[in-house]
């Protein structure tokens, strides 16, 4: 065993041209070392003190000794020498036992947090780069990250010659071995051409095993960008599959949150453009439609020509492993296919379920960013002669206020372009768009339209109408209080005004709860409050209709003899039992049945659910039934009041009944039409006209009650005039009293 002079070789990553090959070129005095001689160990730190780090050095025989005839290297001749070097922040360390160790990494910056100040911290072990923090609201918040464990050398480390040498290599004579330095791989294209030019498979395992940090995501985006630029000639389906596996890794839902910390804000648009550019060079060699079927990227294609009938590509993709699939479809109209030449062409489409969540638009004036994507992102690659396609998107958010906007991604402007598409259909679950395909607009989707002009119009109508309605109801109650003693002459007239007052109170209270509910978002902290708002809104809107029902029963009471001698107190009990008791039973039953399954409220508003549990029927059915009953009662009254009356009291009651009938005859159709249009708006594809009419009628219900229930009643108008005259008379009497004989004589005496 050789025990002669040794030379010291420092093993550092800076001296290793390729970590997969243990070959290092030194000066003539030093020997080239390969894995055939010594088992190389990564640098490790058994001790650390005063900012200095003890590292292992590999001690090997000198060149002169190795060149002796008959010398055979022995692994036992390797020994280690310890020396000191300075420790740099972020250096990767390993203990002698092989267990990784690292310096303490701060999760946030230390020191005072001054507004808008920045700082950085090193990445964790095995990663290069740093993490940036910004002070916001006196707290350090992560703003950027460049931590990456990937490199060009690491991608191809298992593809080099040294790592594939046989375990029997130590017995191979030295003159057979090639001790020249390994060829350095300087680019991804060079490494792929050398190691896996047919399918790019040599990079997929390393990429898929890497952690999706912001730095690694940025590296992979550049990797795909370089491939699409330098290796896009003769793209086969095998290459497309490997390319898509790499892209799929950084499109995983688990990686979405890390896209926000990539310093290059154009990384997401670079990814989309790279995939589209690579797919443009793809050649389909068979009739198979499915090319790539990854979880977060799918590619389909087929051959087409001018004789092809209308073709479509259907996608079904999940946003994650738990949600239901989201559908998308690309259709090429027959009239477009006729534009093709007789020779065969191909159509390719790529679907992304998660890309819409990370695409970042370039800033544009008068546009609120970011704009939420509400469907798949569908890219298409078509022959140049084809310009128009039809795309169908299933909505991710299917709430009724989730209006859509068809858009195309402009690759040069790096933003969604509304001019690229036209809306063909927008219903609750899906949207159909007609889009123009160009070389710069190849990707399409639908956006959540924050507030369309239609929404604003409806909001204005509702706001103005509710204001008028509340003021009208307050005025109605004031008038009723003013004329009460003059209009409640008989039992029927008394109960009639009790109904008017309770109808006004019910609608006024319901409107107040509606306003309260409009200020709440459906969040965890607001959920219980929204349940309460929905319950009371449901209860008081139902009370409005049940008091209208009691009005109809009053009409029947005035006509049928059997009820003529009922006590006023008993009528009040019946009235409140119908007006508030029945709505309370329905409202409590509804919340008890639907709330355990979280189906009581709509997901977007504090009101009864329709899409899942149809809880809204607990309001619509009683309301529409009452409207129908009231209309039947009005018809019955129109027939029965033609009989001759007996007695003045009877005649007076008939007059009152006729006034109630006219009131019911006017208000019932108005209320019925209001909620009839309301039910119509639940039907998918309902015309905008129905929404506007419903908003108008619903918002102005209070005004209708004031107008037709109070002001148009001549008895109330007469009583109001008498009340006003009485007030004026009292005012004049007071003035006259102040100018009486005593005061007059005192005034004369003063003048005298």
């Amino acid at each position: 065993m050789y025990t002669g002079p040794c030379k010291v070789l420092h093993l550092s990553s800076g001296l290793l041209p390729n970590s997969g090959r243990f070959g290092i070129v030194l000066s003539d005095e030093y020997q080239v070392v390969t894995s055939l001689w010594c088992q190389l160990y990564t640098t490790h730190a058994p001790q650390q003190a005063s900012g200095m780090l003890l590292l292992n050095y590999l001690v090997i025989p000198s060149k002169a000794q190795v060149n002796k005839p008959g010398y055979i290297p022995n692994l036992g001749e390797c020994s280690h020498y310890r020396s000191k070097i300075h420790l740099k922040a972020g250096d990767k360390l390993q203990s002698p036992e092989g267990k990784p160790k690292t310096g303490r990494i701060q999760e946030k910056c230390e020191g005072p947090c001054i507004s808008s100040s920045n700082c950085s911290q090193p990445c964790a072990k095995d990663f290069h780069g740093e993490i940036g923090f910004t002070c916001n609201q006196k707290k350090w918040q992560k703003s950027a990250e460049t931590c990456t464990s990937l490199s060009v050398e690491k991608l191809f480390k298992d593809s080099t010659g040294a790592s594939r040498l046989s375990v029997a290599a130590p017995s191979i004579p030295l003159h057979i071995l090639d001790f020249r330095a390994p060829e350095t791989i300087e680019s991804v294209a060079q490494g792929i051409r050398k190691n896996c030019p047919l399918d790019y498979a040599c990079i997929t395992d390393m990429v898929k095993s890497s952690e999706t940090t912001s730095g690694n995501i940025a590296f992979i985006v550049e990797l795909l960008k370089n491939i699409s630029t330098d290796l896009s000639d003769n793209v086969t389906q095998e290459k497309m599959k490997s390319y898509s596996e790499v892209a799929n890794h950084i499109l995983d839902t688990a990686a979405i949150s890390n896209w926000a910390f990539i310093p290059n804000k154009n990384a997401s648009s670079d990814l989309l453009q790279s995939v589209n550019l690579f797919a443009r060079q793809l050649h389909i060699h068979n009739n198979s439609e499915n090319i790539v079927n990854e979880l977060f990227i799918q590619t389909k294609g087929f051959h087409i020509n001018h004789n092809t009938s209308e073709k479509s590509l259907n996608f079904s993709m999940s946003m994650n492993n738990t949600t239901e699939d989201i559908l998308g479809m690309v259709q090429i109209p027959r009239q477009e296919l006729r534009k093709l030449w007789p020779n065969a062409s191909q159509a390719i489409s790529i679907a992304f379920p998660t890309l819409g969540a990370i695409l970042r638009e370039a800033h544009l004036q008068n546009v609120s960013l970011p704009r939420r994507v509400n469907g798949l992102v569908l890219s298409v690659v078509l022959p140049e002669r084809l310009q128009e396609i039809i795309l169908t998107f299933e909505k991710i958010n299917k709430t009724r206020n989730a209006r859509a906007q068809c858009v195309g991604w402009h690759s040069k402007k790096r933003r969604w372009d509304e001019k690229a598409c036209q809306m063909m259909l927008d219903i609750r679950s899906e949207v159909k768009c007609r889009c123009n395909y160009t070389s710069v607009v190849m990707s399409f989707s639908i956006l959540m339209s924050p507030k369309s002009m239609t929404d604003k119009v409806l909001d204005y109508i509702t706001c103005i109408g509710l204001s008028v309605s509340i003021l009208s109801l307050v005025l109605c109650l004031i008038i009723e209080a003013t004329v009460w003693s003059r209009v409640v002459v008989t039992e029927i007239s008394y109960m009639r005004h009790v109904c008017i007052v309770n109808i006004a109170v019910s609608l006024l209270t319901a409107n107040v709860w509606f306003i309260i509910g409009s200020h709440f978002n459906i969040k965890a902290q607001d959920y219980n409050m929204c349940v309460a708002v929905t319950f009371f809104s449901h209860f008081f809107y139902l009370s409005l209709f049940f008091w209208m029902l009691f009005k109809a029963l009053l009409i029947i009471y005035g006509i049928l003899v059997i009820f003529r001698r009922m006590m006023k107190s008993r009528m009040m009990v019946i009235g409140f039992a119908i007006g508030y008791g029945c709505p309370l039973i329905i409202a409590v039953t509804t919340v008890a049945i639907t709330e355990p399954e979280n189906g009581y409220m709509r997901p977007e508003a504090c009101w009864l659910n329709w899409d899942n549990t149809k809880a809204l029927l607990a309001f619509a059915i009683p309301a529409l039934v009452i409207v129908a009953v009231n209309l039947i009662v009005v018809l019955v009254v129109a027939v029965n009041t033609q009989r001759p009356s007996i007695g003045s009291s009877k005649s007076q009651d008939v007059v009152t009944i006729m006034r109630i009938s006219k009131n019911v005859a006017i208000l019932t159709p108005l209320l019925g039409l209001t909620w009839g249009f309301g039910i119509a708006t639940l039907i998918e594809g309902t015309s905008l006209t129905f929404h506007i009419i419903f908003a108008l009628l619903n918002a102005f219900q209070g005004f209708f009650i004031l107008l037709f229930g109070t002001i148009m009643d001549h008895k109330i108008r007469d009583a109001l005039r008498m009340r006003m005259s009485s007030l004026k008379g009292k005012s004049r009497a007071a003035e006259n009293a102040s100018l009486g004989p005593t005061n007059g004589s005192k005034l004369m005496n003063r003048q005298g």
Side-chain angles (χ1 to χ4, degrees), residues 130-310:
E130 62 181 15
I131 305 173
F133 295 88
T134 301
C135 182
N136 185 19
Q137 296 180 352
K138 298 183 179 181
K139 292 183 180 180
W140 290 110
Q141 296 181 358
K142 184 177 175 181
S143 58
E145 180 192 317
T146 59
C147 299
T148 178
S149 60
L150 296 174
S151 64
V152 174
E153 293 131 1
K154 197 169 184 179
L155 284 176
F156 305 103
K157 74 173 184 179
D158 293 331
S159 303
T160 56
S163 63
R164 296 181 179 178
L165 289 173
S166 170
V167 294
S171 63
I172 300 175
L174 288 178
H175 67 275
I176 297 178
L177 297 175
D178 183 8
F179 291 109
R180 291 176 298 176
E183 180 185 354
T184 302
I185 298 177
E186 298 179 350
S187 69
V188 173
Q190 178 188 354
I192 290 178
R193 287 193 183 101
K194 180 180 178 182
N195 298 296
C196 51
L198 298 180
D199 57 5
Y200 304 169
C202 56
I203 63 172
T204 56
D205 289 341
M206 179 61 67
V207 169
K208 290 165 67 175
S209 64
S210 65
E211 186 178 344
T212 52
T213 62
S214 301
N216 279 345
I217 292 173
F219 178 88
I220 295 170
V221 170
E222 287 300 314
L223 170 70
L224 295 172
K225 187 176 179 181
N226 291 337
I227 293 175
S228 63
T229 303
D230 301 334
L231 298 173
S232 59
D233 53 326
N234 190 28
V235 177
T236 62
Q237 294 188 23
E238 289 73 21
K239 293 178 181 179
M240 191 69 197
K241 289 179 181 178
S242 297
Y243 190 92
S244 300
E245 285 183 37
V246 175
N248 182 76
H249 181 63
I250 58 177
L251 289 171
D252 194 300
T253 51
I256 289 178
S257 60
N258 291 331
W259 280 85
F261 304 112
I262 300 176
N264 178 16
K265 303 307 178 185
N266 294 326
S268 55
S269 59
D270 287 343
L271 172 63
L272 178 59
Q273 190 169 354
S274 299
V275 175
N276 290 345
L277 179 62
F278 195 74
R280 186 180 287 179
Q281 304 301 322
L282 174 63
H283 298 286
I284 303 176
H285 299 297
N286 52 43
N287 294 324
S288 175
E289 182 177 295
N290 297 314
I291 301 171
V292 175
N293 191 25
E294 296 293 329
L295 189 60
F296 302 104
I297 178 172
Q298 288 183 4
T299 304
K300 297 184 178 183
F302 48 64
H303 293 286
I304 54 175
N305 57 51
H306 74 292
N307 290 324
T308 306
S309 59
E310 182 173 290

Side-chain angles (χ1 to χ4, degrees), residues 320-357:
N320 52 54
N321 294 329
T322 58
T323 59
E324 295 181 357
D325 285 357
I326 300 297
L327 307 179
M329 182 170 63
V330 179
Q331 292 177 282
I332 306 175
R334 181 69 185 93
Q335 62 268 24
E336 287 292 309
L337 292 169
R338 290 187 183 131
K339 299 178 182 178
L340 295 174
W341 299 110
N343 56 319
S345 302
Q346 62 182 24
I348 299 169
S349 183
I350 311 167
F352 308 88
T354 58
L355 182 61

